Amino acid sequence: MAGVRLPRQLFLQGVAAIFMFAFASLYTQIPGLYGPEGILPARRTLRPQGKGRLQQLWETPTLLWEAPVLGLDTAQGLELLSLLGTLLALGALLLRPLRHLLVYLLLWAAYLSAYQVGQVFLYFQWDSLLLETGFLAVLVAPLGWPLCRRRKQAPQGRSEGASPHEGLPFWLVRWLLFRLMFASGVVKLTSRCPAWWGLTALTYHYETQCLPTPAAWFAHHLPVWLHRLSAVGTFVIEIAAPPLFFAPIRRLRLAAFYSQVLLQILIIVTGNYNFFNLLTLVLTTALLDDRHLAAGPGRGQRKKTPPARSEALLVTLALLLELAVYGLLAYGTMHYFGLEVNWQQRTIHSRTTFTFHQFSQWLKTVTLPTMWLGAASLAWELLTALWRWTQVQGWLRKLCASVELSVWGGATVVLFLISLVPYSYMEPETHGRLWAGTHRLFGAVEHLQLANSYGLFRRMTGLGGRPEVVLEGSYDGHHWTEIEFMYKPGNMSQPPPVVVPHQPRLDWQMWFAALGPHTHSPWFTSLVLRLLQGKEPVIRLIQNHVTRYPFHKQPPTYIRAQRYKYWFSQPGEQSRWWRRQWVEEFFPPVSLGDPTLETLLQQFGLQDKSPPRARGSSILAQALHWVRAQLSPLEAPTLLWGLLVAVGTIKIMQALLAPWLLRSFPLANGEKHKPAPKKDGGAARGQAAPAPSNCSSTSRASRRKK
C-alpha cells in the first residue's frame, strides 16, 4: 500500500492557502458589511443574554465575545481575526513547522468566529465547506510529540516517522469529497429542474451564473449539442465517478481524481466562484498517494525484478476489473443518456432515457449502500492502522501510538457517523431510517459546522434571461444615474471580470436578490439607507475608488432599483458584452425619512435604536486603523493576487536554495547520520577501525532484503 505523506502535506498547504484567501478577501469588506456604518453591523449579533461565559461561548462559538477586553468593538475584532488568520495561514503555507494541529485549530476557530457574526453574507455553501475542511485539517495535521517521534529511518516504501493513525483523518477528506460531489450531482435531478433533465442547463449556465468570466462568453456560444454532451459529462463525473474514490485499484482512483480536476478547472475558467473550486481541488488530494506524486528511491530497480506468478495473476485480474469498470461506465452513459453519433452533421445527440420516478427508486436503492461503502472503506483503514501499530518498535513509541490511534480513530468514527445525517438529506426515507443516536450526535455539534449538506447548482435560474438589479440615484427625482458595481454585470460594454479567489459578497447577494422581490432580501433596504446617507465604507463595496462612484461629492437625494434581464451579446456585436431589457421596478424611489423606507427598516428590525458607541481608541485599534489606511487603496483581487505572487516567489526561492542549504548545513536538515556510510567507504583506507560502518551497512542491507 502506497503512503499518503506527500498528499497530506499537499492537503495541509492547500487548506492554508484557502484560509489565506478567505480571510484576506473578507478583511477587505468588513467595514462596508459589518462596521458601525455597514449594511449589517456585526455588533447587533453579539448581545449578552445574561448567561454564563462558557454557555454563551458554546451556544454562539465566537472569539469576538472577547473583543471588548482588547478595547475593540465587534467589527474591529473581526478585522483583527481576519488579519491574524491571513498571516497565520501564510506562515503555514510557507513554513512546514507551522503546519501543526494547533495552527489549524486557530484558523478554524477564527473562521468559525467570523461565520457566527457574518449573517447572510457568510451563509454560502463554500463557507460551510471551508469550516468542515478546516476541522479535518486539525485532525490531519501532525501533533509533533517529541517523545513519540520516530528517529530511525523507515524501510523503503514507508514514510519516515509515520504514525499508524495518520491515514484515518485523511480518509475523512476523501469521504467529504464523495459527499460533496455525489450530492451535487443527485440534487440536480431530485430538484426536477427542466434544464438539467433536458440536458440544456449549460446553454444557460455560462450566461446566468453570478459572476461569469470573459471565457464564459465564448463557452456560451459553443454548439448546443456540445452543451448537452457537457451536461452528460457533468452527471457522469458527479454521480458515477465518486464511488470510484473507494476503489481498491489505485488506477481507478486516479482516473476519478483527474475527472474531478478537469471539472473544477473548467468551472474556474468560466466562472468566478471565489475559493470554492480551489478548495474542491484541495480535497481531491485525498485520492492521491506518494507513488503518484514522487518516485521513491530504488523503484527503478524493483521494476526490473520479474513479478511472481501470483503477483502477475493479481495484476491481470486488476486490469480486467479496471477495463470492466470503464466499459460499464461507457455503456451506462450511452444507454441512460441515449448517445447517438450523427456522422453527417458531425454531432453527438443526447437525451435522458429514464424518468424521475425511476431515478427516485434508484436513489432509494443506492443511498444506504453508499453509506455501507464508506463504512467498509473506513473499516479497512482502521484495520490497516491497527496492523501498522503492531509494527511499532519500542514500548514508549508503542504507548504513544496507542493513545494517538485511540483518539484519532475514535474521532474519525464519530465524525463519519455525524456526517451521515446531512448526507442522507437528499433521500428522506433513508434519512428517517438512520440510527437515532446519529441524529443526537449531529444535533449536539451542528452549530460547529463539523458536517454539512451540499448540493451545488440545484436549479438553473434565469432561463428567460438573467435577472439583474440596477441601482439608480437622483438629486431631483426626475433625472436618474445608474450606480455601477465593480464586478457584477451592469454596463453592457464592460467585460466580465476575473476576480478569483476573491468573493465580492455584496455582488453575490445582489444576484440572489434579483431572483425574487426585495422583501426576500431585507439587507437590501439597509443598503439603500447607507447609500442615501453617503457612508463611504458601503460605497467602497460598490467602487473601491470612491471617485468612480457617481455621487461621491454629495449623496443622492433619492434611490431606486430596477430589474432588468441580461443576455450575452451575439458574435459580431462590436464593443458590447451584454444585451438587456427592462422588466419592472424592483425597489420604489425613497429618500431619507421617507415613510416607506422607515416602515421597511422597522419591519426588518434594521433600525438601530441604541445610541452610537464610540469606537475603540486603544493602541491596537489605532494599529488596525493604520493597516486599513495602507491597504484600502488596493482592490481586493489585486491584494489576493499579490499574496499569491509573493507565495510563488518565496516557494521558487526555497526550491532554488534548498540544494545549497543541504550542502552548507547538513546537520540542520536531518542529515546527521546519512553522510557517515558514504564517508566510511572512502575513508576506510586511512582509518584503523572501520568495522562499525561495515556492520551498519550490513544491517541495513539485511533489512532491505527482508
Side-chain angles (χ1 to χ4, degrees), residues 96-350:
R96 186 167 181 172
L98 287 181
R99 292 172 212 147
H100 189 273
L101 180 150
L102 293 178
V103 171
Y104 286 93
L105 182 61
L106 289 174
L107 290 173
W108 173 79
Y111 204 76
L112 180 63
S113 299
Y115 180 86
Q116 295 297 324
V117 302
Q119 306 168 78
V120 69
F121 293 108
L122 268 172
Y123 290 169
F124 292 96
Q125 289 196 49
W126 35 84
D127 293 310
S128 299
L129 181 63
L130 179 55
L131 284 170
E132 185 171 352
T133 306
F135 191 79
L136 295 185
V138 175
L139 300 178
V140 172
L143 183 57
W145 292 3
L147 293 177
C148 300
R149 189 178 303 164
R150 295 187 185 182
R151 298 184 180 180
K152 293 183 179 180
Q153 187 173 359
Q156 289 182 354
R158 212 177 293 171
S159 299
E160 184 178 356
S163 300
H165 75 277
E166 287 184 349
L168 292 176
F170 199 47
W171 178 90
L172 286 172
V173 179
R174 195 192 319 174
W175 173 245
L176 172 57
L177 177 66
F178 171 80
R179 290 192 289 117
L180 171 67
M181 301 310 301
F182 188 72
S184 296
V186 165
V187 298
K188 292 176 174 60
L189 296 175
T190 57
S191 67
R192 300 195 183 199
C193 175
W196 283 115
W197 276 92
L199 304 180
T200 59
L202 295 183
T203 61
Y204 307 102
H205 165 72
Y206 301 110
E207 181 178 69
T208 61
Q209 60 184 322
C210 179
L211 295 177
T213 65
W217 186 93
F218 297 96
H220 176 73
H221 293 292
L222 291 173
V224 174
W225 70 266
L226 188 55
H227 285 307
R228 298 173 66 92
L229 189 62
S230 299
V232 172
T234 301
F235 285 126
V236 172
I237 292 174
E238 292 186 344
I239 297 179
L244 299 180
F245 298 169
F246 308 105
I249 302 175
R250 63 186 298 271
R251 282 198 299 264
L252 288 176
R253 296 196 302 270
L254 292 177
F257 164 78
Y258 283 109
S259 68
Q260 304 304 316
V261 169
L262 173 64
L263 177 63
Q264 299 307 318
I265 290 177
L266 290 176
I267 297 175
I268 291 173
V269 170
T270 57
N272 288 290
Y273 289 94
N274 49 82
F275 57 79
F276 166 63
N277 303 109
L278 298 175
L279 179 55
T280 307
L281 287 174
V282 171
L283 293 178
T284 61
T285 57
L287 302 177
L288 300 174
D289 53 44
D290 291 340
R291 283 176 54 194
H292 190 68
L293 291 179
R299 183 172 303 168
Q301 297 177 1
R302 291 197 298 273
K303 287 183 179 179
K304 296 178 182 178
T305 305
R309 186 171 300 178
S310 58
E311 184 179 351
L313 179 60
L314 287 176
V315 171
T316 303
L317 290 176
L319 180 60
L320 292 176
L321 179 59
E322 185 179 355
L323 293 176
V325 169
Y326 294 144
L328 186 61
L329 284 175
Y331 171 78
T333 303
M334 296 178 66
H335 175 72
Y336 289 108
F337 293 100
L339 298 184
E340 296 179 357
V341 180
N342 188 322
W343 297 105
Q344 293 181 348
Q345 299 180 359
R346 296 182 180 179
T347 60
I348 300 177
H349 298 292
S350 55

Side-chain angles (χ1 to χ4, degrees), residues 456-492:
L456 300 164
F457 307 108
R458 183 186 304 266
R459 295 186 64 88
M460 197 55 57
T461 59
L463 301 186
R466 71 173 287 146
E468 200 68 57
V469 172
V470 176
L471 280 164
E472 297 177 339
S474 173
Y475 290 118
D476 56 11
H478 299 286
H479 302 87
W480 296 89
T481 302
E482 291 189 7
I483 298 175
E484 294 183 13
F485 284 65
M486 285 185 288
Y487 309 115
K488 84 179 195 67
N491 187 338
M492 292 181 289

Side-chain angles (χ1 to χ4, degrees), residues 171 413 613 645:
W171 178 90
V413 172
R613 307 173 190 173
V645 170

Side-chain angles (χ1 to χ4, degrees), residues 23 503 685:
F23 279 120
Q503 181 184 1
R685 291 168 296 188

Side-chain angles (χ1 to χ4, degrees), residues 36 41 43-44 47 530 601 605-613:
R43 59 187 172 86
R44 298 176 183 173
R47 292 177 177 174
R530 296 309 190 194
L601 292 173
L606 296 173
Q607 287 180 323
D608 196 355
K609 299 179 181 179
S610 59
R613 307 173 190 173

Side-chain angles (χ1 to χ4, degrees), residues 627-638:
V627 173
R628 172 71 60 185
Q630 305 306 310
L631 297 178
S632 58
L634 294 175
E635 292 189 9
T638 305

